[in-house]
Amino acid sequence: MKEQLFDPRRKIFIGNNESVMVDFAVNHFIACAKHAIKKYGSFFVALSGGSTPKLIYRKLSSDYRNAIDWKKVVLFWSDERSVGIDHPDSNYKMAIDSGLGNLSIPSHQIFRMEGEKNALHGADEYEKLLYQKLGKRPFDLIMLGMGEDGHTASLFPDTTALGEKDRRVVANWVEKLQTWRITFTIPWINQAENTVLYVIGTKKKERLHDVLYDKSDSYPASKIGTLMHPALWIVDKEASELLLKEDPIRKAS
Ligand code: 6PG
């Protein structure tokens, strides 16, 4: 295990293997939940799609099912694909099927993005819902992944949503996938008390390196995190291989 700080807008945890990394991520989730429940009586979290969150949801709903009061948890999603809830690509379906559906979270506290709707309409509705449920309160935790192209949530490189300054949620046309997505925006993600990006596996090592060393923030994922609310990157050793090679501390020793 090794912690490094390349930029004050980020904290990085590197787990020696996938299991250490997932354990750390689960413990971080639980700590955020406990803190918010103590402070507000509820925990507002936005979930993500992707392979690592799936492992986290499984663990939370098995080994850690008694770690927090799930009745106080309120679930949202940070992005969704243009599909309905029965589709294998649905981020909502993935989270619920991975075990979150078996916990005691009241169904009226589970707010999915309606991917089957017209994306522009779906995004407007979801934004209204966020204002209704959260008002000015930011999310306690927004969970995110990073794709091999440096996208996060459904904020893909060269898409219009990246320029959004005012909205919390927008519809985003992704030309290379020829599809619409509904996604949280960068300014809204950056207001959260805690944001976390999970990155796993050797095939992401080049992109992870580029994103973290990119001083011009040209990748969507490099824009996450602020001085006030640094983003936490939780990565495994394989994904971090190139970061360690450039570790100035290691080089100096
Ligand atoms: C989605 C996500 C997306 C995801 C990354 C990483 O809808 O799939 O929200 O941003 O987190 O693509 O996914 P993997 O962890 O599966 O590579």
Side-chain angles (χ1 to χ4, degrees):
M1 268 178 276
K2 192 167 172 60
E3 202 175 354
Q4 290 183 310
L5 188 66
F6 296 99
D7 182 313
R9 297 169 308 149
R10 297 175 190 135
K11 289 183 174 168
I12 305 177
F13 172 86
I14 300 173
N16 254 340
N17 54 47
E18 188 181 286
S19 145
V20 170
M21 181 221 169
V22 171
D23 271 347
F24 184 86
V26 168
N27 278 288
H28 173 255
F29 181 103
I30 300 285
C32 291
K34 283 189 170 160
H35 179 80
I37 291 171
K38 197 168 170 201
K39 190 167 169 190
Y40 302 107
S42 57
F43 174 50
F44 280 68
V45 56
L47 308 176
S48 157
S51 47
T52 316
K54 190 176 186 164
L55 302 173
I56 297 168
Y57 305 150
R58 283 206 184 124
K59 196 141 211 167
L60 279 169
S61 50
S62 53
D63 307 359
Y64 288 79
R65 57 178 306 122
N66 298 319
I68 50 169
D69 183 357
W70 291 97
K71 289 194 283 306
K72 302 209 164 121
V73 174
V74 189
L75 295 185
F76 291 82
W77 273 258
S78 50
D79 75 319
E80 188 54 276
R81 291 100 183 262
S82 289
V83 294
I85 53 170
D86 293 329
H87 196 281
D89 289 347
S90 159
N91 284 342
Y92 165 82
K93 178 178 166 51
M94 186 280 274
I96 297 298
D97 290 356
S98 302
L100 296 188
N102 302 329
L103 297 167
S104 54
I105 307 170
S107 55
H108 65 268
Q109 287 171 205
I110 302 181
F111 300 104
R112 70 180 183 93
M113 288 176 161
E114 297 180 310
E116 68 278 22
K117 281 192 176 167
N118 165 291
L120 294 159
H121 184 59
D124 287 353
E125 298 268 288
Y126 209 70
E127 186 171 72
K128 268 189 219 141
L129 183 75
L130 293 183
Y131 278 106
Q132 250 174 44
K133 302 290 168 191
L134 284 138
K136 288 191 174 157
R137 175 177 167 182
F139 268 102
D140 301 309
L141 173 65
I142 297 184
M143 302 170 79
L144 298 165
M146 185 195 75
E148 280 175 64
D149 57 359
H151 80 260
T152 188
S154 281
L155 297 159
F156 286 79
D158 307 317
T159 55
T160 52
L162 290 171
E164 185 55 52
K165 302 263 186 298
D166 305 316
R167 300 280 307 259
R168 292 181 174 188
V169 187
V170 292
N172 199 21
W173 172 253
V174 186
E175 182 68 25
K176 72 174 180 184
L177 302 176
Q178 288 291 299
T179 189
W180 285 95
R181 297 279 185 103
I182 301 176
T183 185
F184 280 8
T185 61
I186 302 274
W188 175 238
I189 293 172
N190 277 340
Q191 279 186 38
E193 277 300 321
N194 298 281
T195 49
V196 59
L197 294 109
Y198 312 102
V199 186
I200 219 165
T202 191
K203 58 182 192 254
K204 298 217 177 134
K205 68 182 179 192
E206 269 106 17
R207 188 58 75 228
L208 182 66
H209 171 274
D210 294 352
V211 164
L212 294 182
Y213 282 93
D214 169 30
K215 291 286 166 230
S216 55
D217 282 358
S218 50
Y219 295 100
S222 18
K223 302 178 197 294
I224 306 299
T226 63
L227 291 179
M228 215 197 316
H229 298 295
L232 174 63
W233 288 74
I234 303 182
V235 309
D236 75 345
K237 205 172 172 187
E238 292 188 338
S240 69
E241 203 187 316
L242 300 178
L243 307 182
L244 296 174
K245 281 197 180 128
E246 285 203 19
D247 177 0
I249 301 164
R250 181 172 283 206
K251 265 191 185 160
S253 62

